[in-house]
Amino acid sequence: MDLISRITDQFEQSIATKRAAIELLAAPIAHAVDVMTGSLMNTGKILACGNGGSAADAQHFAAELVNRFEMERPPLAAIALTTDTSTLTSIANDYAYDQIFAKQVAALGQPGDVLLAISTSGNSPNVIEAMKIAHEREMTVIALTGKSGGRMAELLGPEDVHLCVPAERTARIQEVHLLILHCLCDGIDCLLLGVE
């Protein structure tokens, strides 16, 4: 096996996926930035959820908002619903695993808040249940998916934003998800701080 060729191929695939995503996703990402910034400026908050690597992405995003991204600014209201092990395990034990995010959204979500729902397949049952509750709570959903968008795409309303990476491989989707999250953080900072 030629590891150098394999590694080079991974880089080339990642670059190609990002190039394919630029034209498709630039406008929806800008719209998501507007939605999130509007919520934050109106005392709203962003709740983020996902499983596995997407859980890590939810936590990464929340940390960038609460602490800072690249510019100094006041802390912003964001919560990763993936971090409270007592809450997660009690809900999974007493009810069902597909309720671990939905019950948190029901407890914490308010009209005008935003749910950042992350799933590479778009078919994560617990993320889907969280989306349903977010809609009941009059929250906007920003869905970060890949492939065809899965069942999550079917649940989106006219006020929601779908950021669907045009790729099939989970690794490529996750790589673009991270770039999108950084674009969201940068855009939010620029709008809040008046950066040109």
Side-chain angles (χ1 to χ4, degrees):
M1 175 190 337
D2 180 357
L3 279 177
I4 300 299
S5 294
R6 244 184 121 72
I7 291 165
T8 301
D9 188 50
Q10 295 280 345
F11 272 82
E12 294 295 345
Q13 287 179 30
S14 184
I15 292 165
T17 304
K18 288 171 181 166
R19 286 193 190 283
I22 294 171
E23 190 170 327
L24 183 66
L25 294 178
I29 293 169
H31 181 53
V33 168
D34 284 333
V35 168
M36 289 178 161
T37 305
S39 175
L40 292 166
M41 290 179 71
N42 286 298
T43 69
K45 62 188 165 299
I46 300 170
L47 306 179
C49 64
N51 298 285
S54 298
D57 286 342
Q59 291 166 216
H60 181 159
F61 180 74
E64 302 285 24
L65 292 189
V66 171
N67 186 25
R68 69 176 189 128
F69 182 53
E70 293 182 327
M71 295 181 261
E72 291 299 330
R73 54 144 169 80
L76 301 175
I79 303 168
L81 303 179
T82 55
T83 60
D84 184 341
T85 55
S86 295
T87 296
L88 294 170
T89 56
S90 68
I91 295 169
N93 184 65
D94 295 348
Y95 295 92
Y97 190 75
D98 67 0
Q99 294 300 305
I100 62 169
F101 302 135
K103 287 185 74 75
Q104 292 185 79
V105 172
L108 301 170
Q110 297 294 324
D113 288 348
V114 174
L115 175 68
L116 176 61
I118 311 172
S119 170
T120 57
S121 68
N123 291 316
S124 300
N126 53 11
V127 177
I128 288 167
E129 292 303 313
M131 289 175 62
K132 291 176 183 175
I133 298 299
H135 285 144
E136 289 178 14
R137 305 286 297 171
E138 298 177 25
M139 297 169 61
T140 302
V141 174
I142 309 293
L144 194 52
T145 69
K147 303 181 182 181
S148 67
R151 290 178 50 220
M152 287 170 59
E154 299 166 11
L155 293 175
L156 294 170
E159 303 301 316
D160 298 327
V161 183
H162 191 193
L163 305 174
C164 183
V165 177
E168 292 295 317
R169 286 187 62 192
T170 299
R172 301 293 84 88
I173 295 166
Q174 288 175 328
E175 289 158 6
V176 179
H177 279 186
L178 181 57
L179 177 57
I180 290 170
L181 293 175
H182 285 162
C183 288
L184 293 172
C185 292
D186 178 72
I188 291 167
D189 280 2
C190 287
L191 289 183
L192 289 177
L193 298 173
V195 177
E196 291 299 321

